[in-house]
Amino acid sequence: MLRNRPTRRTDALDAIEPPPRADVVIGVVSVTVLVMLLGALSDSPVWLLGLLVFLPGTASALCTVRQTAFVAVWTMLVVIVTVLVRPGDGISWLDRILMVLLTFALGAASVYACHRRTRREHEMLRLRSTAAAMQRHILRPMPLLTDDVLVDGLYEPVQEDRLVGGDIYDVVVSPWGTRVLIGDVQGKGLAAVGAAFAVIGAFREAAHREPTLTALVDALDASVVRHNSYAAQTGDDERFVTALILNVDAHAEVQAINCGHVPLQLLHNATVVTPVFGSGVPLGLAELSAEPATVDWFTFPPGATLLLTTDGLTETRAADGTFYPVTERLSERVTLSPTELPQALYDDARSFAGEGSHHDDVAILSVRRSPFR
């Protein structure tokens, strides 16, 4: 099976919210004490209570509903106790009553605003989680063995940022050999997933129909153009898709077309080589280029492995901004099996970047050449 990490199901609306955290309580009490001290020094504690009105509003933007309600109730109690204990200060009872009512109204409004914010966030999270689940089901399970290759891989979406990305891959056994696709849709979000589904659907259909790789790429480009035309009608942004398409058959050489994608790496005899071939325009932009898609050929001997990735791996950065050295790290792992290699590279890239630095989807495929038939 493809080693996708399970999407965690989060439903905070149906779950019981935790009580106010210690840091929330300490923060609220600290601000209250500070305001009271300033009031004592200025001999105007009642007027300075107006500073506390900002507490529930701040909590509504940062905290849960229960925590916001705690802050609102705390602020209300402080205001009531202060205006009753300090009846002097030359402030009329009408002003004191208005201050209490204003504090109550702003506290209630803050709780309501927090409820609306969290509800909207959870609804968006459910929607994105559904899209991520659909994306996982549409992407083909791995490993996959054909007469020509053994393909294994790893796909990791950006769950930390709660974003849905557009990394895609697929493998089709056609009458002309095994055809492999890896790609990356511009941008993230649900619109990117829609473009990704369009490309995968077109690839699975055209890979069985088109005898040449150039015709297959033309069909993929047309699918992106059609998707963009539909997206424009609904007000969505148009997308393009970088892609790398391979055709592996019983011959020693492999056909490849690079549509603006990350170059592949060839591992053979404990060495890492980057085959040099042209890079065309991404899918969806072919009409902007005067040059048609062209096929490149390179030798793919039995027992060799191809590494195909998206820029989620190549653009991984360390804390100092250094890019992940894919070729160097790959050279240290040339002896790994195609089943172990994708996970090893992914784990190493995460370690290189440090926790919390994963900002893009990562798709890694290893393609091991079978002995010639």
Side-chain angles (χ1 to χ4, degrees), residues 7 45 67 77 91 125 131 133 138 152 163 165 201 219 221 231 244 269 272 275 293 302 309 315 349 356 368:
T7 303
Q67 291 166 353
L77 291 176
I91 301 175
L125 177 58
I138 287 181
D152 206 343
L163 297 173
D221 182 83
L244 180 62
N269 291 335
V272 178
T309 73
E315 295 184 359
R368 172 64 62 89

Side-chain angles (χ1 to χ4, degrees), residues 337-350:
S337 70
T339 301
E340 300 170 327
L341 183 60
Q343 186 67 53
L345 278 178
Y346 175 78
D347 292 340
D348 184 58
R350 289 299 297 268

Side-chain angles (χ1 to χ4, degrees), residues 212-223:
T212 65
L213 213 57
T214 52
L216 172 57
V217 170
D218 289 342
L220 299 182
D221 182 83
S223 72

Side-chain angles (χ1 to χ4, degrees), residues 23 46 58 80-81 132 134 152 166 225 238 255 257:
D23 57 343
V46 175
T58 302
I80 291 176
V81 170
M134 292 173 59
D152 206 343
V225 172
E238 296 184 356
Q255 302 175 52
I257 295 181

Side-chain angles (χ1 to χ4, degrees), residues 356-367:
S357 299
H358 183 204
H359 299 300
D360 200 0
D361 290 354
V362 176
I364 306 173
L365 296 184
S366 61
V367 183

Side-chain angles (χ1 to χ4, degrees), residues 291-347:
E291 299 293 332
T294 57
V295 178
D296 287 286
W297 301 74
F298 65 94
T299 301
F300 187 21
T305 298
L306 297 177
L307 183 78
L308 287 63
T309 73
T310 57
D311 59 12
L313 180 68
T314 59
E315 295 184 359
T316 297
R317 296 195 186 199
D320 61 359
T322 304
F323 284 104
Y324 178 68
V326 178
T327 303
E328 175 185 333
R329 300 302 178 94
L330 192 57
S331 299
E332 300 170 357
R333 293 164 175 80
V334 291
T335 59
L336 295 178
S337 70
T339 301
E340 300 170 327
L341 183 60
Q343 186 67 53
L345 278 178
Y346 175 78
D347 292 340

